[in-house]
Amino acid sequence: MRGLLRAAAALALLTVWLLPSGQASAASYSVAMKGYAFSPASLSVPAGSTVTWTNYDTAPHDVKTTSGPLSLHSPMLNKGQSWSFTFTTAGSYGYVCTVHPDMTAGITVRAARAPAPVPARTSAAPREHVHTTPARTPSRTANSAPAMTMPSPTPSAPEAAVPQTTAPAAAAQPPATQAAASTARPLDPLLVLAGLVAGVAVLCLLLVGSRTSRAQREAP
């Protein structure tokens, strides 16, 4: 029973680990306050990143912006203390330690790039060529006897022969299912694997619960 529970927990952890990378947390960066200087003094990070300042000097330090889209001011940090801030607004930030004005540094926050749109796949309708064949008329052979016709009382004008034509068939339209399949994007294999793993974990939990209830009923 415990083995089944452990297997279900392992499958759940595997599902979380196999999630798409787009759901991962943003990057983190560190700045050291050491030797009365910020290290690194210049930093470039994408929007959404978290920067952590840590004081390694015996003297206290802080972080206060002198320029940039936002105004920041950290608490006073003693030796071993840290302070973090997540930058969501792009721009250039300059900051300084108010206790030691010679300690200056800067951070450039880059704007997050939007993913490029994926063009939809379209399939051109196949062109069909319709061939028309003229209607065949019976031909007279040398052995066939001429047809006997009765003279009409009044001569009539010969009727104009009406040509027989065959209307071209309409071009076959591609099935709607084929167009839908061509424009639909393929399923993510990681999502399919995650669904299968989750289903196996639920089945294991249901099996353990049924065995436990059965054992309780059979107990005196």
Side-chain angles (χ1 to χ4, degrees):
M1 186 182 301
R2 293 182 179 178
L4 292 176
L5 292 176
R6 291 178 181 177
L11 292 175
L13 292 176
L14 180 62
T15 303
V16 174
W17 181 70
L18 291 175
L19 286 176
S21 58
Q23 300 178 357
S25 59
S28 300
Y29 298 85
S30 300
V31 176
M33 301 172 174
K34 189 174 182 180
Y36 295 90
F38 293 103
S39 178
S42 179
L43 191 63
S44 179
V45 300
S49 300
T50 301
V51 180
T52 302
W53 288 267
T54 304
N55 185 9
Y56 294 95
D57 290 336
T58 56
H61 298 301
D62 65 345
V63 176
K64 180 176 175 60
T65 54
T66 57
S67 62
L70 299 177
S71 179
L72 308 177
H73 192 185
S74 71
M76 195 63 63
L77 303 177
N78 295 321
K79 184 177 182 179
Q81 293 182 339
S82 300
W83 179 73
S84 300
F85 183 80
T86 301
F87 290 89
T88 57
T89 304
S92 298
Y93 297 81
Y95 62 93
V96 66
C97 174
T98 59
V99 182
H100 308 91
D102 294 337
M103 294 177 58
T104 60
I107 295 178
T108 301
V109 180
R110 305 186 302 271
R113 296 182 179 179
V118 179
R121 298 180 180 178
T122 58
S123 61
R127 297 181 178 179
E128 295 187 359
H129 299 279
V130 180
H131 300 278
T132 59
T133 56
R136 296 182 178 179
T137 57
S139 59
R140 297 179 61 183
T141 59
N143 297 328
S144 60
M148 300 297 293
T149 57
M150 297 297 294
S152 58
T154 56
S156 59
E159 297 181 356
V162 179
Q164 297 181 0
T165 57
T166 304
Q173 298 294 333
T177 56
Q178 181 179 358
S182 61
T183 56
R185 298 180 60 185
L187 293 177
D188 192 347
L190 294 181
L191 293 179
V192 176
L193 179 59
L196 293 177
V197 172
V200 173
V202 171
L203 291 177
C204 292
L205 292 177
L206 292 176
L207 180 61
V208 171
S210 62
R211 290 187 177 181
T212 303
S213 61
R214 183 182 299 175
Q216 292 178 355
R217 292 178 183 177
E218 294 177 357

